[in-house]
Amino acid sequence: MGVALRFSRKHLGIPYALFLAVFVLFPLVLIVIYAFTDANGVPTFNNFTDFFSRSSNLYVLLISFVLAVLTTAICLLIAYPVAYILARSGAKKRSVYLLLFILPMWINFVLRTAAMKELLFALDGLGVYNVTDWYFVNTVIGMVYDYLPFTILPIYTVLIKIDKNVIEASNDLGANSAQTFLRTTLPLSMPGIVSAITMVLLPTTTSYVISDTLGNSKVTIIGKLIENQFNIGTADSWHTGSAISLILLFFIFGTMLLSGKFTENTNTRGGGLW
Amino acid sequence: MVKKILRSTYLWLILIFLYAPVVLLVVYSFNASTEIGSWSKEWNFSLYKMLFTDSKILNAIKNTVLLALSSAAISTILGTVGAIGMFYSKPRTFRIFNTVTQIPIVNAEIVTAISLALVCSMLLFPRTYGSLLLAHVVLTFPFVVTSVLPKLKQMDPNLYEAGLDLGASPMKALFTVTIPEIMPGIASGFMLAITLSLDDYIITNFTKPSTIDTISTYAYNAYAKNSANTSIPALRALSAIIFAVIIISVVAVNLSANRTVKEREASK
């Protein structure tokens, strides 16, 4: 063994591993530590029992769940036909339309949400909408508006890859177009649907910008609950906030492991734009 | 034929839903009225004048762009180094690297945000531009890695070996063979990092010092916290400008892509 190590490409993994340890793993360890200790650093389970014993927190869980399921369902119902029509259009038309559907994603997320607020206020002014009272509907509309492009893309990506021969075979074997869709196309596009669901479900429960902007501060989701704990700044609130985050983490990684998301590339959050 | 019309109608209805809010802002950005819903008879650039004299918004724009460029540059270097390092490690090590890299992607942004805020308070590290920059690197580097890895997989492994056989040092072979070969992945990772950084609100909010605002945090404070904020009309003009910049760059990218395709076809 020479004293000077000869450079090899895998050595580049060493500084990278250090970065991951300090800025990805260590912060998560801190959440775990905070979640299981009180303000004096004494180990405790109180952060968890407190969380579940407050009915207002359970209400937040319920609202988040309803909001997430509703938004995801509406997004899928709108997005699937869009992706389906796009996938069956001619190549040139397809690329133009696809671009049109992706383009809004590039506008700043907060400004985009604010634009929806302005539109709803304008509709309110015309007397066809009620911004102040329909705060839950506002939030659902805002979420569908913001996440729709993220639902279209994964479904489209899967649909475009389906072998045309499989569809033809199904037709040749006597299935009508409804049967072909239900028994061939839909099952084959399942991976796209699952990926679309995971893209929408998590932000709808945690990304509180939309519910804050459109919900007239009456819609509190889990993400907002965590943010509140860190803004109150009492001695215990950071520990409570960490406990809620840990519960959330548990769900996130549970779902990810179940859906095998870890093994594939999840590069669609940026929209697969580049 | 009827089917075709129905399909197009459906697509256009959804497109109207997606574009109506932004188009409304663009239209109103040229009206002297500061309130949406009430028209003023005057059509002028008064909101744009408001925007370009509002030093807070101008600062927020500058911060957003600088932060996006600098964090994307750091992320690109880090992500490329990481992707190469992990790709040439043992399969088991690769899997561990890959899983940990995916954590910030699959994790909720709020959890990443508070975990970084905890690090800041734990290390008694005040929230500065540095902590904000670092947080954006954590937000974006995994996307660089996932852009670069496929290019490494596609690369012919013999090229690098040939470089070594021809007398290049491993370092030199890396820079003259591997890096140029995976450059498309690095470039798309960089662009992706910029777009993610530009868009971020939650992580920014938890790691920035109170003196720094980005477009996201500024707009959030204006719209979500205080609907009577006087800078909202100026933000309309900003949204219109951002929309215009996006359209222009998309058209430019497509035109240049078309041209390269045509040139390639012509040179055949």
Side-chain angles (χ1 to χ4, degrees), chain A residues 66-98:
Chain A
V66 172
L67 202 53
V69 171
L70 207 58
T71 307
T72 311
I74 298 174
C75 275
L76 283 181
L77 281 178
I78 298 178
Y80 199 96
V82 171
Y84 187 80
I85 297 170
L86 285 184
R88 302 194 130 203
S89 309
K92 194 155 189 187
K93 193 177 159 194
R94 191 162 65 206
S95 57
V96 174
Y97 267 117
L98 196 62

Side-chain angles (χ1 to χ4, degrees), chain A residues 9-10 13 16 23 27 78 97 99-100 103 106 108-109 114 117-118 145 202 209 212 238 245 266-267, chain B residues 10 12 14 18-19 36 82 88 101-102 106 114 134 141 146 160 192 198-199 201 216 220 223 236 250 254:
Chain A
R9 284 172 295 183
K10 69 175 179 215
Y16 184 64
F23 295 110
I78 298 178
Y97 267 117
L99 203 59
L100 282 175
L103 204 80
W106 278 323
N108 180 284
F109 175 66
K117 185 177 189 172
E118 302 246 34
Y145 170 61
L202 186 61
V209 173
D212 275 5
W238 283 39
S245 303
T266 39
N267 220 344
Chain B
Y10 180 73
W12 282 102
I14 306 301
L18 287 177
Y19 283 89
I36 280 201
Y88 294 104
T101 303
Q102 301 284 322
V106 296
I114 63 146
L134 192 75
F141 83 89
T146 48
Y160 176 80
L192 199 53
L198 286 177
D199 229 30
Y201 167 75
S216 295
Y220 174 85
Y223 275 99
R236 257 170 237 154
V250 164
N254 276 296

Side-chain angles (χ1 to χ4, degrees), chain A residues 20-257:
Chain A
L20 290 181
V22 178
F23 295 110
V24 176
L25 294 177
F26 175 64
L28 292 183
V29 172
L30 275 186
I31 289 189
V32 177
I33 294 174
Y34 265 74
F36 287 105
T37 53
D38 66 11
N40 302 318
V42 181
T44 173
F45 282 108
N46 283 351
N47 301 320
F48 293 92
T49 46
D50 279 357
F51 174 77
F52 285 110
S53 62
R54 264 187 225 161
S55 60
S56 63
N57 288 343
L58 299 178
Y59 183 67
V60 169
L61 287 185
L62 180 73
I63 286 289
S64 304
F65 181 74
V66 172
L67 202 53
V69 171
L70 207 58
T71 307
T72 311
I74 298 174
C75 275
L76 283 181
L77 281 178
I78 298 178
Y80 199 96
V82 171
Y84 187 80
I85 297 170
L86 285 184
R88 302 194 130 203
S89 309
K92 194 155 189 187
K93 193 177 159 194
R94 191 162 65 206
S95 57
V96 174
Y97 267 117
L98 196 62
L99 203 59
L100 282 175
F101 278 101
I102 294 173
L103 204 80
M105 298 202 313
W106 278 323
I107 302 167
N108 180 284
F109 175 66
V110 183
L111 288 176
R112 209 180 337 143
T113 311
M116 184 45 100
K117 185 177 189 172
E118 302 246 34
L119 176 70
L120 293 181
F121 264 102
L123 290 175
D124 193 330
L126 294 173
V128 292
Y129 194 83
N130 187 338
V131 175
T132 4
D133 290 343
W134 300 352
Y135 48 88
F136 191 77
V137 182
N138 293 346
T139 311
V140 174
I141 293 178
M143 286 187 167
V144 170
Y145 170 61
D146 275 321
Y147 297 121
L148 190 60
F150 295 98
T151 341
I152 295 175
L153 221 54
I155 300 177
Y156 168 80
T157 319
V158 172
L159 282 176
I160 199 84
K161 278 188 209 143
I162 293 180
D163 190 348
K164 297 275 182 303
N165 293 328
V166 181
I167 310 290
E168 256 173 51
S170 161
N171 289 332
D172 289 348
L173 291 168
N176 62 32
S177 51
Q179 282 170 326
T180 303
F181 176 75
L182 286 176
R183 298 180 138 181
T184 314
T185 315
L186 194 61
L188 283 175
S189 58
M190 234 28 203
I193 296 176
V194 171
S195 143
I197 291 175
T198 52
M199 297 277 300
V200 182
L201 217 48
L202 186 61
T204 48
T205 51
T206 55
S207 189
Y208 53 86
V209 173
I210 304 171
S211 55
D212 275 5
T213 310
L214 291 158
N216 309 343
S217 53
K218 281 176 190 153
V219 179
T220 307
I221 54 174
I222 303 174
K224 185 67 185 173
L225 196 62
I226 299 175
E227 197 235 4
N228 282 340
Q229 304 302 319
F230 280 81
N231 278 349
I232 308 167
T234 61
D236 280 325
S237 65
W238 283 39
H239 296 267
T240 323
S242 299
I244 307 172
S245 303
L246 195 61
I247 298 170
L248 190 62
L249 265 175
F250 181 76
F251 276 109
I252 296 168
F253 289 106
T255 342
M256 291 304 158
L257 286 179

